[in-house]
């Protein structure tokens, strides 16, 4: 059954105060460069790999003024490119098609909203590359129907919204208070389904009070996966995360027993660092 478009359902359970004005960060987006330490993206290792193309035709959408009017078509183009790059899970592709990525980023970058690229959202953080989002969600949900998912690193809220389009319950933790507030404001404004609990806290601790989870997605790279998060997986559930420092790889971990986990290394990636504690 096809899900209703975003904005037509009830509000998120813990972000349902629609009378509060939306919080928007203001930063010089045109002066922020994506660097190895602030991008959530895939690393293409093939020497002849094609340069990603833009989802926005040169004659429209520049400056952001027409993005809203054309977003349905631009998302369809984005999803088609993801399909061509090997993403085949129709649940993930449908979720990516349904979420308006342009509303989660600064207006100055709206013309690049549907590029397959990570984009800055302030505080040296990024909205993840669409391929990365779809790849991670496809991996944790393969041959499964997760009902309760945990995200570490909410950022602007985009990936949480995609998760909510394919899962009954989403829990997401953001350590940087202004980003938490920005994500909360955007999710309120979109009036999405009541499936997200947004928390300002230390993501490395997870949420043991509501564990176990059917899937955990970590949107920042640490030298190793926090043990606390491994123990918050249900048996048979999966966690995916970037791991490493200068050289990072996506790592997929499946819990196979009370004290046993299987590990598989996937593609090279480049993510922001995973940090403990909170930032006000």
């Amino acid at each position: 059954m096809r899900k209703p478009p975003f904005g037509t359902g009830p509000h998120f359970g813990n972000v349902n105060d629609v009378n509060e004005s939306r919080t928007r960060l203001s930063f010089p987006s045109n002066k922020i460069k994506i660097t190895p330490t602030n991008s959530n993206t895939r690393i293409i290792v093939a020497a002849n790999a094609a340069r990603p193309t833009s989802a926005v035709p040169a004659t429209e959408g520049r400056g952001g003024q027409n993005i809203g009017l054309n977003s349905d078509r631009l998302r369809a183009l984005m999803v088609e490119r993801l399909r061509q790059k090997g993403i085949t899970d129709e649940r993930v592709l449908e979720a990516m098609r349904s979420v308006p990525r342009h509303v989660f980023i600064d207006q100055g970058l709206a013309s690049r909203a549907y590029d397959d690229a990570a984009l800055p959202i302030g505080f040296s953080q990024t909205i993840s590359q669409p391929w990365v989002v779809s790849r991670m969600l496809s991996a944790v949900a393969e041959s499964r129907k997760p009902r309760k998912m945990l995200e570490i690193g909410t950022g602007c809220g985009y990936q949480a919204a995609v998760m909510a389009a394919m899962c009954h319950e989403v829990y997401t933790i953001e350590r940087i208070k202004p980003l938490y507030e920005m994500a909360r404001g955007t999710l309120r404004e979109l009036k999405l389904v009541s499936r997200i609990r947004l928390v300002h806290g230390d993501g490395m601790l997870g949420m043991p009070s509501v564990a176990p989870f059917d899937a955990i997605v970590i949107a920042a790279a640490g030298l190793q996966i926090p043990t606390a998060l491994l123990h918050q997986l249900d048996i048979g559930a999966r966690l995916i995360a970037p791991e490493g420092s200068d050289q990072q790889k996506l790592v997929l971990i499946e819990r196979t027993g009370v004290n046993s986990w299987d590990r598989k290394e996937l593609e090279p990636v480049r993510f922001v660092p995973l940090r403990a504690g909170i930032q006000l």
Side-chain angles (χ1 to χ4, degrees), residues 57-106:
T59 57
E60 70 176 358
R62 296 302 172 186
Q65 66 270 23
N66 294 323
I67 295 298
L69 295 175
N70 295 294
S71 63
D72 286 350
R73 186 170 65 85
L74 296 178
R75 288 198 300 278
L77 291 172
M78 178 187 72
V79 167
E80 184 56 34
R81 283 201 313 278
L82 293 175
R83 196 187 304 274
Q84 292 171 2
K85 293 180 180 181
I87 305 301
T88 59
D89 191 316
E90 291 298 331
R91 298 168 300 173
V92 175
L93 292 173
E94 180 60 26
M96 297 287 286
R97 183 183 289 110
S98 68
V99 178
R101 190 173 187 248
H102 65 280
V103 305
F104 290 89
I105 62 175
D106 185 84

Side-chain angles (χ1 to χ4, degrees), residues 35-53:
T35 71
T37 59
N38 75 354
S39 58
N40 286 22
T41 188
R42 181 186 189 183
I43 295 178
I44 305 297
V45 295
N48 60 349
R51 185 168 179 249
T53 57

Side-chain angles (χ1 to χ4, degrees), residues 142-162:
E142 183 180 5
S143 302
R144 290 159 173 77
K145 294 181 179 180
R147 291 183 55 81
K148 185 166 67 172
M149 301 176 74
L150 172 65
E151 178 190 38
I152 306 302
T154 311
C156 61
Y158 172 70
Q159 183 167 259
V162 176

Side-chain angles (χ1 to χ4, degrees), residues 140 150 152 213-218 229 232-233 238-240:
V140 294
L150 172 65
I152 306 302
F213 297 97
D214 300 319
I216 299 177
V217 179
I218 305 178
L229 297 178
Q232 290 174 36
L233 281 173
R238 291 178 172 178
L239 175 152
I240 192 165

